[in-house]
Amino acid sequence: MTIQTAVFSLDHDAMELIDRKFREKQLIAQARAHELFDIFQQELTVEETWALKYLFAYMPVNDLADYDGDLFLSHVRQTLDIRGRVPWGERVPDHLFLHFVLPYRVNTENIEDSRGILYRELADRTAHMSMEEAILETNYWCQEKANYIGSDLRTISPLTMIRNARGRCGEESTLAVAALRSIGIPARQVYTPRWAHCDDNHAWVEAWADGKWHYIGACEPEAKLNQGWFSPPARRAMLINTRIFANYPGPEDITLADEWFTEINLLEGYAPTRTVTVQVKDEQGGPVSGADVYFELYNMAEFYPIAVLPTNEQGEAAFKTGFGDLMIRAVKDCKWGEEKVTVADAERFEIRLNQSQQPDGSLDFDMVPPQERSGESSDAPSEEELQRHNNRIEEGTKLRTSYENTFLSEVEATELAVAAGLPQERVWEVLRKARGNSREIAAFLEESSFEYGEWPLRLLESMREKDLIDTFRPALVDHLIGSLPQRGELPDDIFVSYVLCPRVLDEMIVPYKHFFQDTFTEEETAAFRQDPAALVRVLDREWELWEDLPNLKGKGNPVGTFHIKKGDRASVDILFVAICRSLGIPARLHPSEQKPQYMASGSWQDALRPQGTKEQLEESESRQDALRSKGTKEQLEESESRQDALRSKGTKEQLVENGNGTLRLLRDSEAAAGAPAAAYSDNFTLARLEKGIYKTLFYQHGKSDMYDEPFEVEQGSYRLTSGIRLKDGTVRVRFTYFTVRAGEQTDVLLTFREAMLDLPVLGTMIRNNPVTLLDGTSKTLGELIGINGAVVAWIEPEREPTKHLIREISELAEPFAELGAPIVLVVGNSEWTVSFDPSNYPKLPPNTIFTRDSTYSSLPDFIAVPPASEAGFPHLFVLDSADQIRYTASGYKIGTGKEALQLLTGVWQQPI
């Protein structure tokens, strides 16, 4: 094809590349050519044509499957129009516009035609501002619309976020990026895949203004740019990056240049860095090209790859990272080598591919994160700016709270339940979770319950909490009416969980029951019911595996995957489960293995997965499957109890036939005093070796009842990882290797390394400083903390770090209550916002006391200096019976609640 006109400052080669990839996507999506590409028959400008070509050229297959061309044309036209309207439109370079303004997708959210909606919200309030001011103002608007709450891994859309008025950090930053792009400001979501010094991860936003990138905490405004509670943790990160759906040339450091996306490394803008080069050699010492090198961190009790890079022709892979420890694993053709490295020690490391079987026994080692360090001095806001900022936060909170007050109330829920003859508590629980979507869910119950009784309610109860905020009546009616005739003689629990329930993994819920029922003939349906393996063979024969973006795996909806006849492995598995459920065949993804299964003769049978080509399997299995994140607590709790009950061990013959054995974890009767209680993904995990890579099994986060009773697992080589994290972030790790054989039981002793409890005296809490109780009574701090020790924390309830702390203390309510020591949570006047209501935290220990402190006079002096002053709230202290401070933690740190409990227990056991 002849390229006639330069557009968006693209040179001839760039335009040819876009055009070639566009034509590739036309071939890939030829089954949906009419729905996607008929828009090119309309009258388009040159800019519209090339903007569309650019988007299609790098569009993931799931988007080609799930959305129509009209959506993308509307998005392009609005984006180009906005560029001509905003005052800085001409100042944004074309390459930034293409990569950081034009894209319709930020994360893995459902795509909606939201650009114009967001623009109309923000245009007038930012029209007369500088770009930097507009970035700050947009974040104030985001804070008016939503704040933080932890949730599962499925990312809701910006419009759903606004409807729900809250979401996790990945959703807050998706909203903020979409909002900034809607007014023509280049923006990108950046994140640390996993922290090194504590569990979990975090995402925030970078926005470009007049030649420079700045960062903000999404939905958590500061008075100035480049400030946020996450700044100190970011200085200890081992990777901060973003993914761009294009062949992006930089100028930032490029971690991975894939055919369909580019990952850029932004760490040096936040922390000291070093580029390490790993040379992979074979057993004879020759360089190995095409090996995958995994750079792994200990996080949530597994070794998670923060980057996976291929070696070049010299057998080398280079990675820019922080000054902490990494586990580096190199793999090719089922051979591997592994080494724990300290980045500060060297710039080059060598790994030999000399292992094809896992070792025996156990291995102990430490993982040390980058040291805590002070940041560069920043331009602090003046008192006047700070007061103005605090007023804006309070105003924004009032606006958001006012909106939340429009959600359907408990009184209205009760009236609906009575009228429909439904249990009042269950109806309120569903409608409470639906929040801004509660009236839509209520309408579904009103319209359906008189005819179908409790089944509409049971359908809603089968779904995840997040599903209730973005699933609407057409989908709900389809799954209700399409499922009930399929019930037959299935037990209620099987029918509800594995036929009626529309949720399979992390896909967007859409109507699909009637679609699949109408798609297959009566003869085909009867054949699939008689032998679901026949459906497996159809999918194997007619559907092609296609994987492009690792983070979109398992996000394709089943109708789209069916139409396009392509999808990543997880999306094709979802398709299988959805078709089975539509035809009345109970089906699921295995709760720990995530493989598709169907029920036959009362037991679960594995569905053989589509094989694909050798190249597809080799490329995707080792690299992209390892990058699949574990589910969060909310995801894995969703149906864990019923899945555990259904996880049949079966007879020895059945186990051998399925290639499975059983595993029993044994308690360590000789564990030292103070050893932690085992909790899955908190301090231990299980992983099976597959093609040289350990893949973590999925179980409920915090699951503690895995001792003694055998449970079924696939045969193979396994690694048990246990870890104890110390206060400085160092982890004392133990690997225990074992093998499970088909039809046999394997007993494994779960042990932890010994970690001495450090209880230094750090200072003394002043007892006579006054605080105010919720009823207005004035007390001294000493009257509240008593004489037997206490936990005292100054908190900032609106911010994510405090919300994590309150959640952790709530999860540990029983052991805290057993100790009986008071937990005093202190809120300053400026942090006590209109939305804060202590009654919203009913799961906190009964010995929790909320107070107000207008002067912060009770805070120890060392909180006023770095690193505590930079870390910010919460400031937590563990006190002994002599009011001595024996532990302190400031700012964001997952696990602070657990550490406080451990130290408080130690204080009680240790004489003063």
Side-chain angles (χ1 to χ4, degrees):
M1 177 181 177
T2 301
I3 306 298
Q4 297 178 336
T5 307
V7 64
F8 297 125
S9 303
L10 295 168
D11 61 27
H12 183 271
D13 290 344
M15 295 180 77
E16 278 201 336
L17 178 64
I18 291 170
D19 194 67
R20 176 177 62 80
K21 288 182 176 289
F22 169 65
R23 284 184 276 115
E24 286 184 52
K25 291 299 174 69
Q26 285 181 304
L27 290 175
I28 290 168
Q30 57 187 336
R32 300 196 70 238
H34 170 70
E35 293 86 352
L36 287 166
F37 305 120
D38 276 4
I39 56 173
F40 287 95
Q41 304 304 315
Q42 300 183 33
E43 186 176 341
L44 303 174
T45 68
V46 173
E47 280 195 332
E48 289 171 349
T49 299
W50 280 96
L52 284 167
K53 282 188 173 185
Y54 172 83
L55 293 180
F56 277 119
Y58 297 100
M59 190 173 292
V61 68
N62 285 344
D63 290 353
L64 293 169
D66 294 347
Y67 307 105
D68 293 341
D70 287 338
L71 172 64
F72 302 119
L73 176 58
S74 174
H75 173 85
V76 163
R77 283 178 167 163
Q78 292 181 89
T79 301
L80 292 174
D81 178 65
I82 290 167
R83 191 184 193 190
R85 293 176 181 270
V86 294
W88 43 78
E90 294 183 357
R91 303 206 304 271
V92 174
D94 282 339
H95 74 281
L96 290 180
F97 175 81
L98 278 179
H99 294 114
F100 303 111
V101 177
L102 179 62
Y104 60 88
R105 176 174 290 288
V106 179
N107 193 299
T108 61
E109 73 278 12
N110 183 47
I111 304 304
E112 298 168 325
D113 196 5
S114 61
R115 182 137 300 186
I117 296 171
L118 299 177
Y119 170 75
R120 288 186 288 275
E121 286 275 329
L122 289 161
D124 288 344
R125 12 189 329 169
T126 59
H128 303 292
M129 293 181 172
S130 68
M131 291 187 78
E132 291 189 8
E133 292 169 339
I135 294 168
L136 292 170
E137 183 62 28
T138 298
N139 208 19
Y140 281 121
W141 176 85
C142 290
Q143 186 261 344
E144 294 171 11
K145 299 300 179 184
N147 69 348
Y148 177 82
I149 188 172
S151 65
D152 66 39
L153 284 176
R154 183 171 72 86
T155 301
I156 58 177
S157 70
L159 297 185
T160 298
M161 182 70 165
I162 294 170
R163 183 188 313 116
N164 193 46
R166 65 187 189 186
R168 57 178 172 78
C169 62
E171 293 161 335
E172 290 178 306
S173 49
T174 295
L175 171 62
V177 169
L180 288 163
R181 289 177 178 178
S182 79
I183 55 171
I185 293 179
R188 56 198 185 194
Q189 182 186 61
V190 302
Y191 53 95
T192 178
R194 292 291 188 271
W195 294 115
H197 70 287
C198 70
D199 283 346
D200 220 324
N201 60 4
H202 188 57
W204 58 94
V205 173
E206 287 188 348
W208 184 90
D210 297 318
K212 187 177 181 180
W213 288 96
H214 306 269
Y215 70 82
I216 58 173
C219 301
E220 295 182 314
E222 299 287 351
K224 291 181 176 292
L225 298 173
N226 302 320
Q227 296 179 354
W229 59 260
F230 54 87
S231 298
R235 293 195 286 268
R236 305 184 71 184
M238 294 293 283
L239 176 64
I240 293 171
N241 68 346
T242 191
R243 181 176 289 131
I244 302 160
F245 309 139
N247 295 104
Y248 180 70
E252 299 90 343
D253 289 308
I254 294 175
T255 300
L256 177 64
D258 187 86
E259 182 179 5
W260 302 109
F261 64 89
T262 305
E263 292 182 355
I264 59 174
N265 191 330
L266 305 170
L267 181 62
E268 68 179 5
Y270 298 86
T273 63
R274 165 172 281 179
T275 298
V276 295
T277 299
V278 177
Q279 181 163 47
V280 179
K281 295 184 177 181
D282 59 24
E283 292 181 90
Q284 290 72 42
V288 178
S289 65
D292 286 328
V293 182
Y294 294 73
F295 297 86
E296 298 177 334
L297 284 179
Y298 178 97
N299 191 289
M300 300 178 77
E302 71 167 351
F303 276 82
Y304 181 87
I306 59 173
V308 183
L309 304 180
T311 55
N312 58 21
E313 293 182 357
Q314 290 74 44
E316 295 181 344
F319 178 53
K320 180 176 286 188
T321 187
F323 282 83
D325 289 353
L326 286 168
M327 179 67 74
I328 301 179
R329 188 178 185 89
V331 181
K332 186 176 183 181
D333 298 332
C334 297
K335 287 194 171 184
W336 67 88
E338 183 176 68
E339 182 179 354
K340 193 219 88 171
V341 306
T342 297
V343 173
D345 288 350
E347 294 182 348
R348 295 186 64 86
F349 300 94
E350 180 182 303
I351 293 183
R352 295 277 180 122
L353 299 185
N354 55 10
Q355 298 181 55
S356 57
Q357 292 184 333
Q358 76 170 9
D360 297 323
S362 62
L363 175 68
D364 292 350
F365 58 95
D366 290 351
M367 290 292 290
V368 181
Q371 294 182 352
E372 193 171 22
R373 71 182 188 92
S374 299
E376 298 176 1
S377 59
S378 59
D379 183 16
S382 65
E383 286 295 325
E384 181 181 352
E385 288 174 323
L386 193 57
Q387 184 59 53
R388 186 163 58 246
H389 165 73
N390 290 336
N391 291 341
R392 291 295 305 274
I393 295 295
E394 182 68 13
E395 290 167 5
T397 303
K398 287 179 179 178
L399 288 170
R400 188 179 64 251
T401 302
S402 177
Y403 165 67
E404 290 177 304
N405 289 336
T406 68
F407 298 169
L408 198 139
S409 68
E410 186 173 3
V411 171
E412 292 172 294
T414 300
E415 293 173 352
L416 185 157
V418 170
L422 298 172
Q424 297 176 25
E425 290 185 3
R426 288 168 59 194
V427 169
W428 169 235
E429 182 67 8
V430 165
L431 295 176
R432 178 188 64 80
K433 293 176 180 177
R435 292 178 58 81
N437 200 38
S438 56
R439 300 192 183 278
E440 175 78 1
I441 299 299
F444 167 70
L445 286 173
E446 288 176 324
E447 295 167 2
S448 305
S449 296
F450 291 105
E451 182 175 357
Y452 298 105
E454 280 196 14
W455 286 115
L457 179 60
R458 297 187 72 174
L459 167 64
L460 295 169
E461 290 173 331
S462 76
M463 298 159 62
R464 295 181 189 161
E465 180 171 345
K466 187 178 284 185
D467 297 336
L468 299 173
I469 66 177
D470 62 359
T471 307
F472 306 108
R473 274 176 282 181
L476 295 170
V477 170
D478 171 81
H479 289 286
L480 175 68
I481 300 176
S483 299
L484 289 178
Q486 313 298 325
R487 183 184 174 200
E489 297 181 357
L490 290 172
D492 280 0
D493 57 344
I494 299 296
F495 171 72
V496 170
S497 300
Y498 305 113
V499 174
L500 178 65
C501 178
R503 163 65 57 217
V504 181
L505 187 61
D506 296 318
E507 75 285 0
M508 185 70 184
I509 291 179
V510 299
Y512 64 72
K513 294 275 172 62
H514 283 102
F515 171 80
F516 290 124
Q517 290 163 6
D518 294 340
T519 294
F520 298 104
T521 66
E522 291 184 9
E523 291 76 12
E524 288 172 322
T525 297
F528 294 155
R529 286 176 173 166
Q530 178 69 26
D531 179 17
L535 174 60
V536 176
R537 291 191 290 271
V538 170
L539 295 178
D540 189 13
R541 183 176 62 249
E542 299 182 16
W543 267 257
E544 178 186 350
L545 287 182
W546 177 274
E547 302 193 359
D548 39 35
L549 294 182
N551 62 325
L552 279 178
K553 290 178 63 175
K555 303 301 191 298
N557 80 60
V559 175
T561 303
F562 181 87
H563 278 308
I564 206 168
K565 289 187 174 294
K566 293 179 180 68
D568 60 82
R569 171 158 287 175
S571 293
V572 175
D573 290 345
I574 290 168
L575 172 62
F576 170 80
V577 172
I579 294 175
C580 284
R581 292 183 182 181
S582 300
L583 304 183
I585 306 165
R588 69 176 187 178
L589 298 183
H590 187 281
S592 62
E593 300 284 351
Q594 300 291 285
K595 59 187 178 183
Q597 295 182 311
Y598 58 88
M599 180 167 282
S601 302
S603 64
W604 290 108
Q605 304 294 320
D606 292 345
L608 296 177
R609 289 174 160 176
Q611 297 302 304
T613 66
K614 178 182 179 183
E615 291 76 12
Q616 287 172 317
L617 289 174
E618 287 181 349
E619 181 177 355
S620 64
E621 277 292 314
S622 62
R623 181 180 302 168
Q624 296 174 337
D625 280 356
L627 287 169
R628 181 175 60 191
S629 301
K630 295 198 315 299
T632 62
K633 177 181 176 182
E634 291 79 4
Q635 281 181 296
L636 299 175
E637 281 181 345
E638 180 246 333
S639 61
E640 182 71 22
S641 60
R642 65 172 179 263
Q643 289 171 336
D644 278 352
L646 291 166
R647 188 173 57 201
S648 170
K649 293 188 289 295
T651 65
K652 180 174 181 178
E653 291 75 14
Q654 289 173 319
L655 292 173
V656 172
E657 181 181 351
N658 293 331
N660 294 339
T662 57
L663 172 64
R664 183 172 65 165
L665 296 180
L666 303 178
R667 301 174 188 270
D668 184 6
S669 60
E670 299 180 1
Y680 200 81
S681 294
D682 185 17
N683 52 33
F684 86 96
T685 56
L686 298 165
R688 186 176 58 254
L689 182 64
E690 294 185 9
K691 297 183 179 180
I693 300 301
Y694 282 100
K695 297 184 180 179
T696 302
L697 304 188
F698 290 65
Y699 291 105
Q700 175 187 334
H701 184 106
K703 184 175 177 60
S704 58
D705 59 351
M706 299 179 69
Y707 281 125
D708 302 329
E709 188 68 25
F711 53 94
E712 184 178 339
V713 295
E714 288 189 11
Q715 65 180 332
S717 299
Y718 284 81
R719 185 180 72 191
L720 186 157
T721 300
S722 65
I724 296 178
R725 193 179 289 276
L726 308 181
K727 186 178 184 298
D728 68 354
T730 296
V731 184
R732 296 178 62 78
V733 182
R734 171 166 292 163
F735 284 163
T736 302
Y737 299 99
F738 61 94
T739 300
V740 174
R741 295 178 174 84
E744 298 182 9
Q745 177 175 304
T746 302
D747 291 348
V748 176
L749 186 66
L750 173 54
T751 62
F752 295 90
R753 294 175 62 194
E754 186 175 354
M756 298 298 295
L757 195 63
D758 187 19
L759 290 169
V761 176
L762 303 173
T764 303
M765 187 68 70
I766 301 174
R767 297 179 60 90
N768 59 1
N769 283 320
V771 292
T772 305
L773 301 183
L774 298 183
D775 61 6
T777 305
S778 181
K779 295 273 189 177
T780 65
L781 194 59
E783 291 178 281
L784 300 179
I785 61 178
I787 58 173
N788 294 315
V791 174
V792 183
W794 276 258
I795 63 175
E796 190 175 19
E798 276 284 296
R799 296 282 186 148
E800 181 177 339
T802 289
K803 292 183 178 184
H804 281 297
L805 175 63
I806 290 177
R807 173 185 56 78
E808 290 177 10
I809 293 175
S810 298
E811 291 171 354
L812 297 168
E814 184 175 345
F816 270 118
E818 290 176 357
L819 287 178
I823 299 172
V824 182
L825 301 180
V826 188
V827 186
N829 285 348
S830 59
E831 283 71 43
W832 192 292
T833 61
V834 67
S835 67
F836 177 61
D837 182 356
S839 66
N840 289 334
Y841 305 98
K843 296 182 179 180
L844 282 168
N847 41 325
T848 302
I849 306 167
F850 281 97
T851 71
R852 299 183 70 157
D853 179 5
S854 60
T855 63
Y856 296 110
S857 57
S858 304
L859 267 172
D861 291 340
F862 60 79
I863 295 302
V865 297
S869 61
E870 291 184 318
F873 294 99
H875 299 293
L876 181 142
F877 307 90
V878 172
L879 310 181
D880 62 23
S881 59
D883 300 336
Q884 296 179 124
I885 300 169
R886 311 301 293 273
Y887 169 85
T888 180
S890 293
Y892 173 88
K893 184 184 178 186
I894 301 298
T896 296
K898 180 175 64 176
E899 286 186 356
L901 175 64
Q902 185 181 19
L903 271 293
L904 185 63
T905 303
V907 164
W908 278 49
Q909 296 171 347
Q910 184 185 78
I912 303 301

